[in-house]
Amino acid sequence: MRRNQVAVVGAAETTELGVIPNMSQIQLHADAALNAVADAGLKLSDIDGIATAVETPQQIAHYLGITPTWVDGTSVGGCSFMLHVRHAAAAIEAGLCKTVLITHAESGKSMIGKLPRSIPADSLQGQFEAPFGVYGPPSMFPIPVLRYMKTYGITHEQIAMVAVVQREWAAKNPRAMMKDPITVADVLNSRMIAYPFRLLQCCLVTDGGGALILTSADRARDFPKKSVYILGTGESVETPMVSQMETFNSSRAFKIAGPTAFREAGITHKDVDHLMIYDAFAHLPLYGLGDLGFMPHEETGKFIADGHTRPGGKLPLNTNGGGLSYMHSGMYGMYALQESVRQMRGIAPAQVKDAKISVCHGVGGMFAASGTIIFTNEK
Amino acid sequence: MAEPARARPKPTPETQHFWDGTQAGELRLQRCDACGNVYFPPRPFCPSCASRKISVFKASGKGKLYSYVINHRPAAPGFTPPYAIAVVELDEGPRMMSNIIDCPQTPEALELDMKLEVAFEKLDDKITLPMFRPAKG
C-alpha cells in the first residue's frame, strides 16, 4: 500500500469511559460513532463504508442508519480495528468507498446487551484446551510468559515495572481509570490471578468504545481537525489456541504484522517518536518490543525497568496508561489507535513533544492475531 | 476423578481417533507419510505439506513441561484453585495443553523442562482426558 494516501479525519471515544450502566453495547457503538462523526464535521449520511468487530457490520449500519457500499466485519479479537484501518485504507485507495467509519464498543463491565462468548465443546479449543481449566483470558494469555522469562532471563520485577511505568502515564490522563502511583512491591504483592501474574499485571475490565473516520488524504484539508496519515500497515494471524503457538519465545503474528508495517512505512526504529503496544497483560510490551525489532528480546525487560518507556524516556510507550491503567473493555485495540491519533494531533493528555511518527501495535485473542498501524502527522 | 462440571470435549469425525486412543490408554498422534511431520491437534491432512496421506500412531507419552500458569481466579467449573494449566512438549515434537497431576501445584514443584509422562483420567464412560505427571526415575 502506498504511504500517506489515506487519513484519519475523525476520532473519538465514547462520551464516558469506565462504568457505563446506562448504555447497552450497541448504544456505546453509536455514542462513539456520533462523537467521531462530529469530530470530523460530517453527517452519518456521508459514511459509505463501515467496519466493526464482535457486533456485526449490519447491526451497526442498521442501528446508525448507514447504507454502506463497503463492509468489513473482520473480527479477530482486540486488534480487529488495526486490521479494519488497513483494509479501509486499501479500499479507499481502490475506490471502493470514500469515507469509512470503524466502530468498537463493549459493555465489558456492565454486560448490557453484550453478546455471549462461549467455546463450543466440539471446537478444537473446546476439545483440547477447555477441559484443562482455561477460563477466560487471565488463565490463558500468561501461559507463555514463564517460558519467555526463562529463555531470555527476564525477571518478575522487570515485568512488574511494565505496570508501574504505565501507571505513571495514566496519572497524567484525566480519563484513566487507575491513576494512583504504584511500586514494584505493590504489583508483586497484589492478589494472585494466574501465577506468575497478579492483579496489577492484568488489564482492567471496563465499558466504553471508540470510533475512527478515514478518507482519502487528498480530502484531508477539508476537515476541521488535524488529519493523521497512515504511513504503514501490517497484519497476520497465528492460532486461536495459545497452546499451539509455534513458540512461546515470540509471537509469529507480531513478527509479521510489525515488520510489514515498518517496511511499508519506509522507516527505521529510530524514527519512532511514540509507541503503543496493546497490553492486555504485562508481558505484551516485552513481546512487542522484541518482535517489532526495537531490541533483542533479552533486553526488553531491562529496557522497561531502566525507565526508557516512562514519561521523559526515549521511547514513550502506552502513553494513555494502557489496558493496565487506562481502560480495557475487552477489545482494547481501538483505544490504542485513539491514543496514537491524539498524539499525532498533538492533543494527548500526556503529549509527547514534537512527535511525528506513532507506531500502534495490537494483539487479538491470546497472540492469535496481530495488526500494526504506523501513523504520521506529516504528509 | 474430575468433577462433573468440568468442560467436556465433544469429538468430531476428525478427532475421534484421539479420544478413542485416550480411552484405550494410548496417546495418539498423527504423522505425515509424505514429509514425516508429526502434528497436533488432529486433522486428516498434514498442516506442513498438505498431504492427505497421514498415519495415526501411538506416541511415547513422554514429554517435558514447556510452560504453565497456576490459575487462582476465576477458576473453571470443576476445578479447585490453585491449579496449574500446563503446556507439555511431547518427545515427538507437538505440544498440548494438559494438567499436571501427582505434583504440588506450586512454582517450586513445577519446574520448566521437568520430565513428564502421560496419565489417563476418566471423565465419564466416553471421555478420558490425557493428563501428565512427573516422570518416574
Side-chain angles (χ1 to χ4, degrees):
Chain A
M1 212 153 58
R2 293 183 301 152
R3 295 165 200 155
N4 297 345
Q5 299 301 302
V6 172
V8 175
V9 297
E13 294 171 346
T14 43
T15 309
E16 304 290 330
L17 286 180
V19 184
I20 312 172
N22 60 339
M23 254 187 232
S24 69
Q25 182 158 298
I26 193 172
Q27 180 56 31
L28 291 169
H29 276 263
D31 185 51
L34 293 169
N35 286 344
V37 165
D39 183 71
L42 291 172
K43 301 186 295 292
L44 277 175
S45 55
D46 296 319
I47 304 296
D48 63 354
I50 188 155
T52 194
V54 179
E55 294 285 357
T56 60
Q58 58 267 41
Q59 182 79 267
I60 302 305
H62 174 254
Y63 194 66
L64 290 170
I66 289 169
T67 305
T69 61
W70 176 87
V71 171
D72 182 10
T74 302
S75 195
V76 294
C79 65
S80 298
F81 318 101
M82 282 78 173
L83 275 67
H84 294 156
V85 168
R86 187 171 205 239
H87 302 171
I92 290 165
E93 259 215 276
L96 304 183
C97 54
K98 288 189 168 65
T99 310
V100 171
L101 169 67
I102 302 170
T103 71
H104 154 73
E106 203 156 347
S107 183
K109 178 77 173 175
S110 301
M111 309 282 276
I112 304 167
K114 183 177 156 72
L115 304 170
R117 285 191 195 180
S118 65
I119 300 172
D122 55 0
S123 66
L124 291 177
Q125 298 96 306
Q127 293 180 71
F128 300 111
E129 290 196 332
F132 304 106
V134 295
Y135 201 59
S139 68
M140 289 189 270
F141 222 149
I143 286 176
V145 74
L146 284 177
R147 171 57 54 181
Y148 186 90
M149 293 169 73
K150 178 168 179 173
T151 300
Y152 299 121
I154 306 288
T155 67
H156 292 281
E157 289 74 14
Q158 286 171 340
I159 298 184
M161 270 299 283
V162 172
V164 171
V165 169
Q166 289 191 202
R167 188 60 66 83
E168 293 177 10
W169 286 109
K172 298 171 175 289
N173 188 343
R175 269 164 71 91
M177 278 284 284
M178 308 298 276
K179 292 190 272 283
D180 294 340
I182 51 173
T183 64
V184 167
D186 291 335
V187 176
L188 295 179
N189 290 319
S190 62
R191 196 169 75 205
M192 187 65 86
I193 300 295
Y195 175 86
F197 279 179
R198 295 169 181 272
L199 182 68
L200 293 176
Q201 290 164 306
C202 303
C203 65
L204 306 168
V205 180
T206 59
D207 303 323
L212 295 169
I213 294 172
L214 277 68
T215 194
S216 173
D218 56 25
R219 295 176 62 203
R221 282 192 195 86
D222 303 339
F223 292 88
K225 300 278 181 67
K226 185 170 182 167
S227 295
V228 175
Y229 301 96
I230 295 164
L231 187 58
T233 63
E235 68 187 289
S236 191
V237 295
E238 185 174 355
T239 168
M241 303 171 75
V242 68
S243 64
Q244 298 305 314
M245 290 173 69
E246 278 183 359
T247 170
F248 285 174
N249 294 323
S250 80
S251 158
R252 190 183 81 190
F254 281 19
K255 285 174 74 172
I256 294 171
T260 301
F262 273 81
R263 274 197 303 278
E264 194 171 284
I267 64 165
T268 68
H269 296 88
K270 291 197 302 291
D271 299 321
V272 177
D273 301 308
H274 171 251
L275 177 61
M276 298 297 291
I277 299 175
Y278 187 139
D279 58 320
F281 294 89
H283 56 325
L284 290 173
L286 278 66
Y287 278 80
L289 287 171
D291 285 336
L292 268 59
F294 282 93
M295 64 203 67
H297 282 289
E298 288 85 346
E299 297 172 17
T300 55
K302 183 171 189 302
F303 186 81
I304 288 174
D306 285 351
H308 296 306
T309 63
R310 71 178 6 149
K314 62 184 176 188
L315 185 59
L317 170 65
N318 293 343
T319 50
N320 58 354
L324 297 179
S325 285
Y326 179 55
M327 77 89 65
H328 195 293
S329 54
M331 298 172 76
Y332 167 83
M334 174 57 79
Y335 308 97
L337 290 165
Q338 295 285 338
E339 175 65 7
S340 280
V341 170
R342 284 192 294 265
Q343 289 284 349
M344 291 296 92
R345 284 175 158 182
I347 58 167
Q351 181 63 41
V352 176
K353 195 166 176 287
D354 300 328
K356 294 181 177 61
I357 291 179
S358 174
V359 173
C360 191
H361 179 72
V363 68
M366 321 301 146
F367 292 112
S370 185
T372 310
I373 303 296
I374 303 180
F375 295 101
T376 182
N377 50 21
E378 292 186 327
K379 190 164 188 293
Chain B
M1 187 71 192
E3 293 172 40
R6 184 176 185 139
R8 185 183 182 282
K10 184 178 174 189
T12 61
E14 298 82 23
T15 64
Q16 188 64 53
H17 69 271
F18 179 88
W19 296 110
D20 289 345
T22 54
Q23 269 205 306
E26 293 185 1
L27 187 68
R28 292 179 183 168
L29 293 174
Q30 289 170 310
R31 181 187 289 115
C32 175
D33 296 338
C35 76
N37 179 41
V38 177
Y39 62 89
F40 178 86
R43 68 207 89 167
F45 62 93
C46 172
S48 180
C49 78
S51 171
R52 291 174 186 260
K53 290 181 179 148
I54 56 101
S55 304
V56 174
F57 70 99
K58 180 186 171 185
S60 66
K62 295 185 187 312
K64 60 182 183 177
L65 181 56
Y66 184 57
S67 200
Y68 66 93
V69 293
I70 303 172
N71 198 39
H72 286 246
R73 65 172 72 196
F79 284 81
T80 305
Y83 62 94
I85 305 167
V87 174
V88 178
E89 185 167 286
L90 301 172
D91 282 2
E92 290 82 0
R95 298 191 195 110
M96 58 189 299
M97 188 174 280
S98 189
N99 300 122
I100 310 299
I101 61 170
D102 301 339
C103 180
Q105 307 289 288
T106 63
E108 295 72 29
L110 293 162
E111 269 190 73
L112 291 199
D113 300 313
M114 67 192 283
K115 288 187 176 174
L116 301 168
E117 61 187 25
V118 73
F120 295 99
E121 193 164 297
K122 190 174 171 179
L123 198 59
D124 57 34
D125 286 345
K126 290 193 172 161
I127 294 292
T128 294
L129 294 176
M131 308 295 233
F132 285 81
R133 64 161 67 98
K136 294 185 183 79

